[in-house]
Amino acid sequence: MNMIAPESTRGVSARPPVRWRLCWENDLELADHIELSDFFQKTYGPTGEFNAKPFEGHRSWAGARPEIRAIGYDDRGVAIHIAALRRFIKIGQTDLLVAELGLYGVRPDLEGLGITHSIRVMYPVLRDLGVPFGFGTVRAALQKHITRLLGRQGLATILPGLRVRSARPDIYLTVPPTRVEDVVGLVLPIARPMSEWPAGEMIERNGPEL
């Protein structure tokens, strides 16, 4: 899949439309990785001292590598990015196939536009992938923000108070190979209704975060 899907920045003046490119990971060229690496360093750098470090050396991923990406471009280059990876997570005793959403980024001048546009673009992609649910996590501090942008618009169900255990992408002698984080979950019912999402507050990711 490698296509351009136009998406206008409706309601916002003086901003050109964002053109969406949907592509599998194998379709990315070296120039794409270099451009995305620069985008992520500039986007994540201001959020914390070490947040841009995973993207050094022209890496366009931080932990697990995605399977498919939605990349939004405007006349200044990469504007918005979100990615997905199909994987099984475990909730209690239930193994559940999801498309994990992650690697979200939006250029600072477009803050407030990106996440709702990204999720709308990803919905048909997830339907084509045939997954029961889309799943993502954000920091607990972003609960009100993400509820306003996604929950109240019916784009995702917000699940506060989750704990997710993930494998670290690298091995260090001074820390355990896994970590547990308190997060807010985002669930997108795709092929199954939200009523079939398993009950439980502890989720085993069984791999690095996307």
Side-chain angles (χ1 to χ4, degrees):
M1 181 187 300
N2 196 339
M3 56 183 285
I4 298 294
E7 174 81 9
S8 66
T9 50
R10 292 179 293 273
V12 180
S13 60
R15 284 175 175 165
V18 173
R19 304 175 305 278
W20 286 95
R21 176 189 177 195
L22 305 176
C23 59
W24 297 102
E25 190 71 358
N26 280 357
D27 292 334
L28 291 176
E29 303 289 344
L30 177 59
D32 295 316
H33 287 290
I34 292 172
E35 184 180 29
L36 289 170
S37 172
D38 182 66
F39 166 78
F40 283 123
Q41 289 184 68
K42 291 178 179 177
T43 301
Y44 281 73
T47 67
E49 182 180 358
F50 300 105
N51 291 347
K53 191 171 182 59
F55 303 103
E56 294 176 352
H58 306 314
R59 279 175 53 121
S60 66
W61 64 95
R65 288 191 67 163
E67 184 177 10
I68 192 169
R69 302 177 187 245
I71 309 169
Y73 298 88
D74 63 12
D75 58 359
R76 294 178 53 188
V78 177
I80 309 170
H81 180 282
I82 193 170
L85 171 66
R86 283 174 288 192
R87 71 192 323 165
F88 280 91
I89 60 175
K90 183 179 283 290
I91 306 176
Q93 298 302 310
T94 302
D95 288 311
L96 183 66
L97 174 64
V98 299
E100 182 169 355
L101 301 174
L103 270 182
Y104 169 73
V106 58
R107 212 171 54 220
D109 62 294
L110 295 176
E111 281 289 350
L113 288 175
I115 187 66
T116 53
H117 282 209
S118 301
I119 294 298
R120 291 183 191 279
V121 168
M122 288 302 292
Y123 256 105
V125 177
L126 300 185
R127 284 198 295 267
D128 288 345
L129 292 178
V131 294
F133 300 97
F135 171 72
T137 61
V138 298
R139 292 179 289 113
L142 295 176
Q143 180 177 339
K144 289 184 179 179
H145 176 72
I146 213 72
T147 298
R148 176 174 59 84
L149 293 178
L150 298 180
R152 293 177 185 172
Q153 298 190 44
L155 295 175
T157 297
I158 311 302
L159 299 180
L162 295 182
R163 307 195 79 202
V164 178
R165 186 164 71 143
S166 309
R168 297 183 188 273
D170 300 296
I171 296 296
Y172 302 96
L173 298 180
T174 56
V175 295
T178 62
R179 63 181 180 186
V180 178
E181 298 175 287
D182 296 312
V183 299
V184 173
L186 314 174
V187 178
L188 285 64
I190 304 299
R192 290 164 58 182
M194 191 64 206
S195 60
E196 295 187 20
W197 181 265
E201 296 181 351
M202 184 68 186
I203 295 178
E204 299 281 353
R205 185 175 262 128
N206 287 316
E209 181 181 3
L210 179 59

